Amino acid sequence: MVEKKKATTKKTESKKEDTKKVAPVKQEVKKQAPAAVGSTAKQEARIGVFICHCGTNIAGSMDIDAVQDASKAVPNVAFVDNYKYMCSMPGQTVIQKAIREHKLTGVVVAACTPRLHEPTFRTATKDGGLNPFRFEMANIRDQNSWVHMHDRVGSTDKAIDAIKIAVAKAALLEDLHPKSVPVEKAAMVVGAGVAGMQAALDLAAAGIKTYLIEKDMSIGGRMSQLDKTFPTLDCSQCILTPKMVDVGRSEKIDLMTWSEVHEVEGYIGNFDVTIRKKARGVMTPKEAEAKGIVGGGCNGCGDCETACPVVKPNEFEIGMKPRKAIYVNHPQVVPLIYTIDFDSCVKCGICVTACGPEKRAIDLEMKDEFIKVKVGTVILATGYDIFPIENKLEWGYKRYENVISSLEFERLICASGPTGGHLVRPSDGETPKRVAFVLCAGSRDNTGTGKPYCSRFCCMYSLKHAHQIIEKIPGCVPYIFYMDIRSFGKMYEEFYYRIQDEGAKFIRGRVANIIEDKKTKNLHVMTDDTLLDRPVDVEVDMVVLAAAIQPAADTNRTRKLFGVSCSMDGWLLEAHPKLNPCGTTTAGVFLAGVCQGPKDIPDTVASAEGAASAASIPIHMGEVELEPYFATCIEEKCAGCGMCVNLCPYSALALVEKDGRIVMNVTEAKCKGCGTCGGFCPGGAIWMNHFTTPQIVAQIDAFLLGGEQ
Amino acid sequence: MSESGANHKFAFYLGCIAPNRYPGVESASIKAMKKLGVELVPLKGASCCPAPGAFGSIDLAVFYAMAARNLVLAEQMKMDIALVCNGCYKSIWEVNHKLKHNKDLRDAVNEVLKEVDMEYKGTINVYHTAELLYNDKFIGVEKVRDSVTNPLTGARIAVHYGCHLVKPHKDREFEKEVMLNTEHPMWMEELVSALGATPVEYRNKMQCCGAGGGVRGYDIVHALDITNEKLINLKEEKVDALTDICPFCQLQFDRGQIEIQEKFGVTYNLPVLHFAELLGLAQGMSPQDLGLDLHGISCEPFLQKVL
């Protein structure tokens, strides 16, 4: 009791001292800051500290009572309380009540992270009658109790420090008022696989003008390479083609194939995007008409392809079928416009003659074009690549002729594929009677040569492959080598049972080695059967590797263009793995499909619809609120040196002439409040809202001097 | 350049089997490497590595301390270690790597070493001589080729890499990236080509010799069964000799053929030579200097072909 009293006395004293010391600084700051910045009347700071237990997440690792007692002694603290779940309604009510009853000027919540609950507590602060920017968070969970779980004394001390620092800032916080900016009524979707197509179709259906950008010659993506889909066994092309046609036909969708995003500027609501339309060498009827060739342009007749003398492997068929230098890579391309691969073209001009004087569709001198569009929101749907499975040397892909990848299997079993749907051994063209399917080929692999994650759809398509060979080749036996069969989706487990009943052989064991019989080109698949606990050697005619998938090759470039992060394994990073899976940390940029992580078709389409919905919200709202964290120029201090202009990563700053002298000017909507300019300005002429120099100095002092400023 | 004119000097760790069963590996390594600008200085007072299977699977504390003691001897010489055996590589390289990166383990090991007034400091690296031959930072394939005076032209030679040098992949850090191709390496074949011989690939090349990991000591018939399978695959390719980079593998293939003859009644008579011995031959050393007459299986048919 005696001790407590002492503490209270000390608090009162220090508060007095503090007010004295801080006040002049604050006044000085006021003079420097432009009138627009913070107009709160000077008043004594009265801060409320609210400590959250987060169940046992926080309370289990530190002494909450000790943190509470110490917080009471921190200068400017007028009220301290703790609660089991501060983010709950009763918890928020505690905050609102305290603001009113104790006439608080600022709120500090010591809990999780601003990333998780800053919006929650800002709302609570606002509902209590304060400006929401009078709230400051002390992270005592993610950066404290979780990492120092077994150091009760240390984590208690660290929590007290975090609260002192937060209180120091809260005492100097000012009212801020977010600005709204109008949102361009258009969206862009990057990548036109099934995810990008679905997202674009949804946006178009919601009445939003959508630019759909595809780097390849046709839309459709990976799904158009597949034969059948699991577990329904409907033909992939049959269900995809109507969507492709819808995309091609939609008036709201501006489809740009053979195009790439070149440059992105701006911010949510106002992205200025430059698109590079790669020279395709062939004009659409529209483009031809624009050049005065009425009734001309490519009609997809294919006369040019027949005439072209250059032969190359067709990438769409994974090199198993030839194509020409002028080509469409499969019969169902949308749009049906031929494309010249200028890396292979010898410019002999035979195609130009074949195309004829009426259409005049081919222009061998065509150059890349750059098109600028303005959009309010962006959806990234850039998909995936197949892991280079030849890196797993023990399975001999590219070394043994009869070891193929699952995507090659899809093309071989597909009626429109290189063999007309007949599965044959590459070595001799014979129909295989025993086919091994190696699952987790490069997935769930911690050896350092593969990928640690599960690729999520290989189990299911391998079951489908097993079904297909049983159905197409009488007497053919599929051997499925697996670690676990992950048949988690709707009707998936039932499909697994069905394939078991159809006669597929399941061997639980990771394949250690595949050995080729030099004479017969048959393959010996070696593994440890972990159910029978013995090594097995299965001779087969053909091996199909269910190769892992990995982020598309240019993901890193995409990431940098749009300022999006990626996770450790390279997939684009969502804003929250559970509660915001389509959003990113960059406002206005959303993710759809596999670019965010492995997904099968149903999950991809669902994610695309989610992203389309999220991306349409700001557009339908018409305007978005921007965080008021922008930089402000204190013009009387600015020397107009322009150093900040070059430093700004967001091109938000410019030099302007004002009252006869050059000063810096901020485009507030472009400024992200990163503070680069503010930290650098040699004259101290840049004021960073919500991260002012006095606020930051006070935080440092609070830590170094223990709150006794 | 050191006084001896060598570009590189290493503390030469012999291990157990090379000096006791195949002394030619020792003399061939020292002489052949000298011609390639690498001086191998005997690591005096060294003990058993100790054998990773036999010791490592019974008492890790003893395993670490013994390996650390060998490392300290080289640290005192201020030289990196070079060795000729995959088993030794596993013990000494891995223990060195672990001690360098794990302070708790290092402290525990130094506590033991205190009893013999030693302290492990982590100042040296460990290399297999095959790695020195392949890595052009030290020697490289070109230099090996240039040193050949008696090319082994016409000889079909298969390579047995053995397990411990290249596996496990995640615990290996070779400077030459192709050496990390654990599951189907080809760099030893390059070295065989450099000697003028024809490298021959065979079925299940990366299979174990059968001896390692304590298998030979525990169940000799099982060990020989594995060896026999490899010999069948080698016979299929009609090779003139098998080369290895591990005296323990060599023991299993060479003397093992005699045991296989006794136990299974199959005769192969396949000459088995450590790569150091092959290199010595190609550089003009005599079979007597190389101690090839001490091999269990006569090297004569092979020697007639290449000499």
Side-chain angles (χ1 to χ4, degrees):
Chain A
M1 279 304 277
V2 180
E3 285 219 350
K4 224 178 186 179
K5 213 171 178 184
K6 254 188 196 166
T8 326
T9 335
K10 196 181 159 200
K11 188 180 78 182
T12 331
E13 278 171 11
S14 60
K15 204 196 298 171
K16 264 186 205 159
E17 274 177 28
D18 191 58
T19 325
K20 261 188 237 159
K21 276 184 189 168
V22 171
V25 179
K26 233 183 156 183
Q27 240 167 4
E28 200 184 308
V29 166
K30 276 276 160 310
K31 256 190 247 162
Q32 295 165 354
V37 177
S39 52
T40 334
K42 202 182 79 187
Q43 57 184 145
E44 186 194 17
R46 292 177 57 80
I47 309 301
V49 176
F50 303 88
I51 303 156
C52 179
H53 300 199
C54 196
T56 54
N57 273 309
I58 293 168
S61 312
M62 66 180 70
D63 184 345
I64 296 282
D65 290 339
V67 175
Q68 167 135 356
D69 286 347
S71 301
K72 281 180 185 158
V74 176
N76 291 326
V77 170
F79 179 74
V80 186
D81 203 353
N82 67 79
Y83 191 70
K84 200 161 189 183
Y85 293 105
M86 220 70 220
C87 60
S88 65
M89 277 317 291
Q92 292 187 50
T93 313
V94 169
I95 298 173
Q96 290 157 12
K97 236 175 103 188
I99 293 173
R100 288 188 207 101
E101 285 177 7
H102 298 273
K103 296 189 173 54
L104 300 179
T105 63
V107 170
V108 168
V109 177
C112 48
T113 74
R115 215 165 81 99
L116 197 64
H117 272 315
E118 188 174 72
T120 315
F121 296 124
R122 271 195 184 154
T123 310
T125 306
K126 193 179 166 195
D127 292 347
L130 279 177
N131 180 287
F133 293 91
R134 294 285 189 140
F135 161 75
E136 181 69 16
M137 198 146 191
N139 183 339
I140 61 167
R141 190 188 73 172
D142 303 34
Q143 290 169 356
N144 189 343
S145 67
W146 279 357
V147 276
H148 311 298
M149 206 172 275
H150 305 294
D151 180 5
R152 204 172 164 81
V153 177
S155 60
T156 304
D157 288 348
K158 188 172 172 180
I160 294 166
D161 276 342
I163 289 169
K164 280 177 186 167
I165 293 166
V167 169
K169 182 168 176 185
L172 299 180
L173 284 174
E174 290 169 340
D175 289 358
L176 293 174
H177 303 281
K179 281 198 173 178
S180 290
V181 292
V183 177
E184 185 71 25
K185 294 221 172 295
M188 177 172 73
V189 179
V190 185
V194 66
M197 282 163 44
Q198 184 64 51
L201 285 169
D202 281 12
L203 287 167
I208 296 165
K209 164 92 180 169
T210 304
Y211 299 93
L212 179 56
I213 317 299
E214 171 55 51
K215 71 174 188 315
D216 221 330
M217 65 166 66
S218 171
I219 60 174
R222 291 280 173 212
M223 192 175 161
S224 59
Q225 285 179 287
L226 310 180
D227 181 40
K228 287 184 174 177
T229 61
F230 59 79
T232 45
L233 295 173
D234 36 17
C235 151
S236 184
Q237 278 288 9
C238 305
I239 55 175
L240 189 66
T241 314
K243 274 198 196 294
M244 290 167 69
V245 172
D246 284 352
V247 168
R249 210 184 277 152
S250 169
E251 282 178 9
K252 284 283 181 188
I253 298 175
D254 192 339
L255 176 59
M256 296 188 208
T257 53
W258 209 244
S259 300
E260 284 173 0
V261 175
H262 179 69
E263 206 173 16
V264 182
E265 275 187 14
Y267 48 92
I268 180 171
N270 299 277
F271 289 107
D272 293 304
V273 185
T274 311
I275 295 155
R276 185 163 72 96
K277 218 173 141 203
K278 296 181 282 185
R280 156 173 233 153
V282 179
M283 284 182 283
T284 62
K286 229 183 197 174
E287 287 165 342
E289 203 175 309
K291 285 205 166 179
I293 309 166
V294 182
C298 181
N299 63 1
C301 69
D303 290 347
C304 53
E305 188 172 17
T306 314
C308 177
V310 181
V311 180
K312 288 277 158 184
N314 187 347
E315 297 82 355
F316 184 85
E317 304 287 358
I318 318 154
M320 295 186 292
K321 206 174 177 178
R323 64 160 171 87
K324 299 294 185 64
I326 184 164
Y327 69 117
V328 289
N329 58 16
H330 65 106
Q332 280 134 313
V333 297
V334 172
L336 179 54
I337 302 292
Y338 275 71
T339 303
I340 297 175
D341 160 18
F342 278 111
D343 291 336
S344 317
C345 174
V346 292
K347 298 203 175 179
C348 63
I350 297 175
C351 56
V352 179
T353 318
C355 188
E358 272 159 33
K359 283 178 279 176
R360 277 190 283 162
I362 299 169
D363 174 6
L364 293 175
E365 301 309 317
M366 197 182 268
K367 294 272 172 296
D368 290 2
E369 259 181 81
F370 292 89
I371 296 164
K372 281 183 190 269
V373 298
K374 193 173 182 115
V375 295
T377 54
V378 174
I379 293 175
L380 303 178
T382 50
Y384 66 95
D385 282 344
I386 305 291
F387 168 73
I389 195 64
E390 61 271 25
N391 289 359
K392 298 294 292 181
L393 294 157
E394 59 268 45
W395 298 324
Y397 180 67
K398 289 194 176 168
R399 194 146 51 83
Y400 305 145
E401 284 173 86
N402 294 328
V403 175
I404 64 168
S405 78
S406 44
L407 200 55
E408 285 168 327
F409 181 94
E410 289 288 347
R411 294 315 301 155
L412 288 173
I413 205 82
C414 180
S416 68
T419 55
H422 299 287
L423 182 68
V424 292
R425 279 161 41 109
S427 69
D428 52 16
E430 292 291 321
T431 306
K433 289 288 179 192
R434 298 162 298 180
V435 181
F437 294 93
V438 177
L439 270 56
C440 295
S443 306
R444 302 175 69 195
D445 182 330
N446 288 319
T447 62
T449 49
K451 301 288 175 187
Y453 49 80
C454 166
S455 294
R456 276 184 107 243
F457 47 68
C458 334
C459 283
M460 290 308 295
Y461 71 58
S462 294
L463 293 174
K464 182 207 68 173
H465 289 172
H467 166 82
Q468 286 178 294
I469 59 169
I470 291 170
E471 188 184 59
K472 282 203 168 184
I473 310 168
C476 186
V477 184
Y479 293 91
I480 297 178
F481 293 85
Y482 70 103
M483 301 214 295
D484 307 283
I485 294 289
R486 298 191 162 176
S487 51
F488 47 79
K490 190 175 181 180
M491 299 301 286
Y492 287 12
E493 190 70 8
E494 294 87 334
F495 188 69
Y496 176 24
Y497 288 131
R498 175 178 167 187
I499 307 310
Q500 289 178 24
D501 289 342
E502 286 178 353
K505 305 282 181 215
F506 290 83
I507 299 162
R508 198 184 78 178
R510 166 153 243 172
V511 173
N513 202 2
I514 294 173
I515 297 166
E516 184 190 55
D517 187 315
K518 278 192 180 172
K519 291 188 197 97
T520 61
K521 302 279 179 187
N522 286 350
L523 301 150
H524 289 264
V525 183
M526 327 274 276
T527 188
D528 190 35
D529 187 325
T530 55
L531 291 178
L532 297 179
D533 192 19
R534 67 176 184 212
V536 291
D537 171 348
V538 181
E539 186 176 348
V540 295
D541 306 318
M542 197 172 192
V543 171
V544 182
L545 302 175
I549 59 166
Q550 63 182 23
D554 48 2
T555 301
N556 226 12
R557 189 176 157 267
T558 311
R559 202 168 74 71
K560 284 178 185 155
L561 274 173
F562 292 94
V564 176
S565 309
C566 69
S567 49
M568 220 161 58
D569 39 28
W571 301 107
L572 295 180
L573 191 67
E574 62 287 328
H576 190 284
K578 295 172 189 74
L579 303 178
N580 194 354
C582 296
T584 67
T585 44
T586 301
V589 179
F590 302 88
L591 306 176
V594 182
C595 66
Q596 181 252 345
K599 283 179 198 68
D600 55 13
I601 295 168
D603 284 3
T604 294
V605 173
S607 129
E609 300 214 274
S613 159
S616 69
I617 292 169
I619 293 173
H620 285 316
M621 294 300 289
E623 54 176 34
V624 283
E625 245 182 28
L626 298 178
E627 296 262 39
Y629 295 164
F630 47 83
T632 310
C633 178
I634 304 161
E635 282 165 10
E636 50 268 44
K637 278 192 167 189
C638 178
C641 71
M643 277 171 156
C644 53
V645 177
N646 296 327
L647 282 172
C648 178
Y650 305 101
S651 320
L653 312 182
L655 290 180
V656 292
E657 199 182 324
K658 220 171 194 181
D659 305 330
R661 51 191 281 263
I662 303 287
V663 291
M664 186 271 275
N665 183 56
V666 184
T667 307
E668 289 166 3
K670 278 189 176 183
C671 175
K672 300 251 192 301
C674 70
T676 308
C677 58
F680 194 84
C681 179
I686 297 174
W687 177 267
M688 295 303 309
N689 275 331
H690 211 63
F691 294 94
T692 65
T693 305
Q695 285 168 3
I696 292 169
V697 169
Q699 286 182 284
I700 296 169
D701 283 353
F703 178 65
L704 296 177
L705 311 174
E708 311 296 328
Q709 292 164 355
Chain B
M1 284 251 182
S2 66
E3 286 164 37
S4 60
N7 296 325
H8 302 281
K9 258 186 171 180
F10 290 90
F12 188 25
Y13 177 80
L14 278 174
C16 307
I17 296 169
N20 286 307
R21 307 287 188 106
Y22 299 102
V25 174
E26 178 183 349
S27 64
S29 295
I30 292 175
K31 287 177 187 167
M33 297 290 271
K34 192 162 194 177
K35 285 190 183 156
L36 294 163
V38 170
E39 189 184 346
L40 300 179
V41 186
L43 180 61
K44 285 186 186 147
S47 68
C48 173
C49 59
F55 284 77
S57 53
I58 289 169
D59 191 333
L60 273 177
V62 172
F63 174 73
Y64 284 127
M66 274 180 78
R69 185 183 160 278
N70 289 326
L71 284 159
V72 172
L73 290 174
E75 285 185 356
Q76 288 169 350
M77 288 167 75
K78 295 190 175 55
M79 281 184 204
D80 289 343
I81 287 180
L83 42 76
V84 289
C85 169
N86 286 3
C88 301
Y89 188 84
K90 167 147 183 90
S91 300
I92 298 185
W93 186 89
E94 268 191 31
V95 170
N96 192 36
H97 189 71
K98 280 190 177 133
L99 292 179
K100 276 186 184 178
H101 293 95
N102 184 340
K103 194 183 173 296
D104 290 344
L105 184 64
R106 190 164 67 235
D107 291 345
V109 162
N110 275 332
E111 199 58 40
V112 178
L113 289 178
K114 223 187 245 171
E115 288 179 33
V116 286
D117 290 328
M118 280 182 157
E119 190 196 351
Y120 171 87
K121 296 196 176 78
T123 52
I124 62 151
N125 296 317
V126 179
Y127 299 94
H128 193 296
T129 47
E131 190 186 354
L132 300 179
L133 287 167
Y134 188 72
N135 187 346
D136 38 26
K137 185 174 138 190
F138 303 105
I139 297 168
V141 180
E142 284 314 306
K143 260 190 164 176
V144 171
R145 185 175 290 124
D146 293 345
S147 77
V148 171
T149 54
N150 172 35
L152 309 178
T153 319
R156 289 170 58 78
I157 299 179
V159 177
H160 173 75
Y161 282 82
C163 302
H164 294 315
L165 178 63
V166 289
K167 288 182 179 183
H169 174 273
K170 63 175 177 173
D171 289 341
R172 292 293 177 267
E173 291 183 350
F174 297 114
E175 287 169 19
K176 298 289 277 188
E177 209 172 310
V178 294
M179 290 187 69
L180 290 167
N181 290 348
T182 310
E183 302 297 335
H184 188 250
M186 290 297 284
W187 53 274
M188 276 297 294
E189 277 80 353
E190 282 183 57
L191 284 170
V192 168
S193 294
L195 304 186
T198 310
V200 180
E201 281 226 77
Y202 57 103
R203 185 185 162 107
N204 211 1
K205 175 171 86 173
M206 295 311 288
Q207 191 180 15
C208 171
C209 66
V215 178
R216 187 184 161 81
Y218 177 73
D219 183 350
I220 182 95
V221 175
H222 197 110
L224 291 173
D225 198 34
I226 297 173
T227 316
N228 194 32
E229 194 186 323
K230 286 214 78 163
L231 288 165
I232 291 170
N233 293 339
L234 286 160
K235 196 181 170 186
E236 191 85 345
E237 301 298 334
K238 298 187 177 59
V239 296
D240 298 310
L242 172 70
T243 187
D244 60 79
I245 42 176
C246 171
F248 197 37
C249 298
Q250 176 149 331
L251 182 71
Q252 182 68 4
F253 282 117
D254 182 43
R255 307 274 155 105
Q257 284 184 56
I258 299 168
E259 291 166 322
I260 285 171
Q261 205 169 351
E262 286 166 6
K263 289 203 160 66
F264 307 151
V266 200
T267 312
Y268 294 99
N269 285 331
L270 174 68
V272 183
L273 290 92
H274 192 284
F275 187 79
E277 295 174 325
L278 271 191
L279 178 61
L281 273 181
Q283 287 182 352
M285 280 174 77
S286 75
Q288 285 70 33
D289 280 352
L290 293 167
L292 294 187
D293 47 332
L294 297 170
H295 282 217
I297 299 296
S298 167
C299 297
E300 268 315 307
F302 172 68
L303 293 173
Q304 278 170 14
K305 193 153 197 176
V306 298
L307 292 182

